[in-house]
Amino acid sequence: LAADRLCRNRPRPTRVGFFGTGLIARYIHTFLAGTGWSFDTVGVYDVSADSAAGFRGYLEQAGAGPAGSAGAVTVHGSPEELIRASDLVVFATVAGRPHVTEPSWFAHHPVVLHVSLRDLDPRILLESANFVDDVEHCLKADTSPHLAEQLTGGRDFLDGTLDDVLTGRVEPPADRTVVFSPFGLGVLDLAVGKYVHDEVARSGRLHVVDDFFHELRRYG
């Protein structure tokens, strides 16, 4: 959703780069492909060569590569190569602290899906337009936005929330790097669960499984 809405006032990205190649990256790619995105190139970078190779194999099997329609796949040798070669950058790592520290790598002003939240040095955020899903939720636990808040002593570096963009209260800039940092909202899981429950109930196919929660004592 953020990739779509944050790109609507700029040319739609044709070069995507995945920084981190685990299951989260896989599902983000699957979702992008399933919602109509197509790319000329798909970049891959991971500190594990085996993981990068495995993700490349998945991408080619999913339709990317020379014979596919989802773009040529390139495994990059460095973070800088990946970022500079991508208009849409997806961070999906397990990093516990910032490890991408050079703002100049983003001079071409990509849209960044900062899904893993702790990859970017706060100086990069301070030179970018920043959007989050929920301000209070995201600015804690030493996420990159939280570090930016600690560094500056305030939240003026935030341009808004995804809701602000959806409702038209804020227009993402086309001439700056745009970083989306989503902490994830549990209420979304509840909303999806309720929707599924209601649809199944409406169809008459809802069944109760007796003793599904067979052990209710926390420690048995």
Side-chain angles (χ1 to χ4, degrees):
L1 179 60
D4 177 62
R5 296 308 177 97
L6 294 175
C7 293
R8 287 196 172 184
N9 64 342
R10 62 171 67 201
R12 193 167 173 89
T14 59
R15 305 178 301 165
V16 65
F18 289 91
F19 196 127
T21 57
L23 284 174
I24 299 298
R26 172 185 168 184
Y27 288 127
I28 291 174
H29 174 268
T30 300
F31 187 86
L32 290 173
T35 52
W37 286 80
S38 61
F39 301 100
D40 295 334
T41 64
V42 181
V44 175
Y45 175 78
D46 198 288
V47 294
S48 166
D50 288 344
S51 295
F55 191 58
R56 178 177 187 168
Y58 154 75
L59 290 170
E60 292 176 342
Q61 186 178 32
S69 59
V73 181
T74 300
V75 176
H76 292 280
S78 71
E80 180 180 3
E81 285 182 14
L82 176 86
I83 293 167
R84 289 188 182 276
S86 305
D87 306 314
L88 177 66
V89 186
V90 179
F91 282 93
T93 75
V94 294
R97 61 178 62 90
H99 54 96
V100 175
T101 61
E102 183 49 66
S104 67
W105 296 353
F106 299 84
H108 57 301
H109 303 316
V111 171
V112 179
L113 303 184
H114 190 208
V115 178
S116 37
L117 289 171
R118 295 175 177 85
D119 302 275
L120 300 178
D121 187 282
R123 293 174 300 168
I124 295 172
L125 270 62
L126 297 181
E127 295 191 12
S128 306
N130 292 278
F131 296 89
V132 298
D133 51 4
D134 181 271
V135 175
E136 296 298 332
H137 206 181
C138 191
L139 271 65
K140 64 181 182 181
D142 288 337
T143 63
S144 295
H146 188 203
L147 295 179
E149 178 187 31
Q150 296 175 50
L151 182 64
T152 62
R155 298 177 174 181
D156 290 344
F157 67 93
L158 290 178
D159 292 72
T161 65
L162 183 58
D163 181 64
D164 290 329
V165 176
L166 294 172
T167 55
R169 291 190 295 268
V170 177
E171 188 78 10
D175 58 352
R176 297 176 65 195
T177 299
V178 172
V179 178
F180 179 59
S181 300
F183 203 102
L185 299 176
V187 68
L188 297 180
D189 299 327
L190 294 174
V192 171
K194 183 178 187 304
Y195 172 79
V196 172
H197 174 276
D198 292 347
E199 288 299 304
V200 174
R202 188 175 295 113
S203 72
R205 293 180 293 167
L206 184 64
H207 299 283
V208 175
V209 180
D210 293 331
D211 298 324
F212 181 82
F213 296 105
H214 65 282
E215 177 56 79
L216 299 180
R217 291 176 297 173
R218 185 170 186 179
Y219 300 112

